[in-house]
Structures are given as structure tokens and as C-alpha cells.
Amino acid sequence: MGISSTAFQKCINPDCGAEFDCGQALFKCPTCGQLLDAQYNWDKIEVPDKLNEFAKRWANRNNPLDFSGVWRFRELLNFCDDKYKITIGEGQTILQQNDAVAQYADVKPGCLYLQYEGLNPSGSFKDNGMTAAFSHAKMVEATSCACASTGNTSASVALYAHSCGLKATVFIGSGRIAFGKLSQGIEYGAQTIQIRGDFDDCMRQVQDVCTKLGLYLLNSLNPFRLEGQKTIMYRIIEGLGWEVPDWIVVPGGNLGNSSAFGKAFYELKQLGLIERIPRMAIINATGADTLTELVNEKKLTWNNGSVNQAIIDDYYAGLTAQNFSPHTCASAIEIARPVNLKKCLRAIDICNAVCRAVTDEEILDAKAIIGKHGLGCEPASAATIAGLRNLIAEGIIGSDERIACVLTGHPLKDPNVTVDYHKEKQGKFSNPPIEAPNDIDEIIKLIG
Ligand code: F0G
């Protein structure tokens, strides 16, 4: 059966609802300009009756598609033929139960799980999305691609592009991305354009450039990228013995993950593969808290797809009037105009989600705790534990609920922030190196 009969693209705006073939590279509805979804004719796809049937794929993991933590769930993102699929072993990530981090957040032992996406080939969750988007790029015969990035998207794009022979151009805000990420993009061979501006400026430029030059756009506007990111939720369920947690906690930047997670749970419920949808907490940094402001203060909601655009326009006009540029130590989520805002509002509706913002100090302290007791993470990822701690204190999340926090990126992505915290900034949990003379007795004295 041809793929065109199983999947299609559809505008998320219910007043439009235009549909398009998956063979087109669109990224915005040509009819009304809203976001597009990948949608499926589920009755034409052989989806397993139970989620645990996916476990069988492990026995066949010498097949690269069964080894991939994304494609072993391929029936749930069935938009392209296997012959186009590009995989580099993404999604071999783990769900770690962590009682020491739980204690910091005042969660009961046995209840906190960390979904560690830093184990991906490029060191962040982005690879889940890129394997899907690059497969679509191959399907539409793209030869050149581009993205705007706060760093991780560019690293992942650069890695996948050279793995499958596409030319990659990445747009980054000058001085706005962490060194680990910059080093990856240039090492992996992407053409790197540093724009004198922030991420939101880069995002605007890259969309215009892609339209003018016909480049394949790899930001999370790309609906196929989000299909890959759904699998992070499948792996959390897998890690819990095919059970659904009570809460998912995720950092919010461009809001691709939160959007993808909401879609993942909606579809699983629709397919009868889960009985209930977990709640979600989306955590911004206070220096880049558009979502939290719009949802909590301006009361913006999905409203069955009729989102009150005037609230968004007013808010953005205010940012422009102040010449606002977001600032946080969590550079990955330093975004003021998140492109997936409306899809995220839909996910908030699906998951009965809450939004909160945490300070840089809270992020850095949580990061130190995750580093000391877990596998470590970059600052944006630590916003999850900082946010969780506050939500437990507020009584929104119960300390005996089962909680999965998504640690989106590897600790070595941003070594500067880590070293500053421990060495110069003397944070609450800092562990500074000790200067010692080149003398054995003195060294032994210091060790104590
Ligand atoms: N965590 C990390 C480590 C990220 O790199 C990002 C986004 C996020 C969280 C936020 O995820 O956009 O799905 O809400 N990084 C993008 C980039 C924007 O360009 O690398 P989101």
C-alpha cells in the first residue's frame, strides 16, 4: 500500500483544515499560514493491538530501523516508505529512576524518573526529530537544507545532513549559543551563519531564505520532525513497563517537544493503546517566558482551535515596543516568539498541562543536583527539576505521583555555564577546583 493512502498533512486551524500530500515540503499551510500536522488514516495502518508488542523489535536489532529508538515505533509515524528512512542510531536513551534528585524536588523515593536524551548521537533530543525530518527530506528529494538554532538543532542538522549527503546551512544568533553546540555544527561540516541578533531573528530569516532558495526547513515548524519527537514519550512508557506516568515535565523553548508529546498521547488514546493521558508541566526560564505569560496571565487557550490571535499579537507588539530580547543562562530555550505556540496550546488542552517559569539560579542549582546524582544535563534540561520542585511546593504535583522529566541535552553541551557555576559564581552546590602547590605533602594535606 502506498504511503500517500496512509498519511497526509493537515492544517491545525479548524476553520481551514486544508489537507496536503506528504510528498510536499510545506511547513506552513499555503491556504491560511497556520501550522501543519502529519495525520494518519489509522484504519490503513497495521498498528499493534498493545504497546508492548513493540518490544519484539529488540530481537531484530541488527536491522537499523529496529535498532532506532524512533523507527522501532514506525507504525505510529507511518508517513514514509522504509527505503527513504535515514537513521544513525538515535533514541538509544534511558529512563533513570533517581531518588537523590527526587529528594531535592521533595518527591517520594521511587517516583521520579529522568528521561536522558543526552545519549543521542548529537547529544540532544533533536535527533529524534531529525531522523524523521531527514527521511521526509529524502522522500521529497531535497538536496539542501537549513535551520535556525539555539545550538542543538544546528548540531543535529549538521550531523544528519552529512550522514545523508545534504548541504546544510545553519543560522545562529551571534554569541547566543553554547560552545559545545557551536563546535559540533562546524565540525560536522555545516555552513554556519552567525546573525547579529537573537534566535527569533534567525527564525524569521531562515523561513524567508528557505522560501526564496527552496531549501528544506528543519526547524520544528516541520511537522515530520515532531513525529519523531513523539517517540520520546513511547520510550518513557516502555521504560515504565508499558505504563503511563502521572506527569511529564519538559522545558519549553520553541515548544516543539510539548506539542509533539501532546499529539503522541492523543493518538495513543485514540488508538486504544493507553487508557489515560498523563498531565504535563512545561517549564520556561523567567527571561524567556512567553508561554507562561500568555497562558497564566493573559489566559490564552486552545479554545477548540479558535485561538484568540489578538492576545498573541498584543503581547508580541509589547515585546517589539520594548525592543525585548530574551535572556537566560539556559540559552537553548532563550526564545520569545515560539513558533509552535498554537500546537502547544492544543497539547496543554490534551494533557491538562500547567506552565511555569523558573529563574536562572533555580536552573543552575537543579543542574548541579542532576549532575551530582544523575547523568548530568545542560541548563535548559535542568529547568524541569527546578520547575518540578516548585510545582511540588505549590501542591500542583503530588510527591507520590509518578513523574518523568525529560532531560533534553548532554552536560558537555555547555561547559562554560557549568564551570562558571562551580568556579566563579560560587552557587549553592558549587564544587570548585582547589589550587595546590606542586608538592606531594601539600597535596596530601589538601586531600585530608
Ligand atoms: N532543551 C534543549 C536542550 C534544547 O536545545 C531546546 C531547544 C529545548 C529544550 C526546547 O525545546 O523548542 O521543543 O520547546 N532547542 C532549539 C534549538 C530551539 O535550536 O536547538 P522546544
Side-chain angles (χ1 to χ4, degrees), residues 75-155:
E75 287 79 1
L76 299 172
L77 53 152
N78 194 12
F79 62 82
C80 92
D81 282 331
D82 286 357
K83 67 179 178 205
Y84 298 117
K85 287 177 184 153
I86 302 292
T87 175
I88 58 170
E90 60 287 322
Q92 301 306 319
T93 62
I94 55 175
L95 184 71
Q96 182 195 51
Q97 194 205 303
N98 194 315
D99 286 346
V101 177
Q103 191 180 11
Y104 176 72
D106 213 9
V107 170
K108 293 241 160 74
C111 291
L112 180 65
Y113 293 80
L114 307 177
Q115 176 65 19
Y116 183 52
E117 290 298 312
L119 284 177
N120 274 293
S122 80
S124 85
F125 75 91
K126 300 287 178 183
D127 299 350
N128 293 288
M130 292 309 166
T131 185
F134 273 89
S135 300
H136 182 256
K138 278 289 175 193
M139 177 171 142
V140 300
E141 299 178 346
T143 53
S144 256
C145 62
C147 69
S149 185
T150 57
N152 281 324
T153 298
S154 55

Side-chain angles (χ1 to χ4, degrees), residues 10 76 98 145 154 176 182 214 229 274 281 329 348 392 411 420:
K10 186 173 167 80
L76 299 172
N98 194 315
C145 62
S154 55
R176 296 288 194 134
L182 176 63
Q229 287 171 219
I274 58 172
C329 69
I348 289 171
I392 294 273
D420 280 354

Side-chain angles (χ1 to χ4, degrees), residues 40 42 76 230 234 263-271:
Y40 302 97
W42 292 112
L76 299 172
K230 291 190 308 192
Y234 308 154
K263 185 171 187 283
F265 289 120
Y266 181 83
E267 290 171 350
L268 291 181
K269 180 88 189 331
Q270 195 188 18
L271 290 166

Side-chain angles (χ1 to χ4, degrees), residues 12-40:
I12 68 162
N13 172 10
D15 292 335
C16 172
E19 294 182 7
F20 307 91
D21 192 85
C22 286
Q24 286 178 273
L26 293 170
F27 319 126
K28 272 193 176 172
C29 175
T31 310
C32 76
Q34 293 278 344
L35 297 167
L36 293 170
D37 263 336
Q39 292 287 347
Y40 302 97

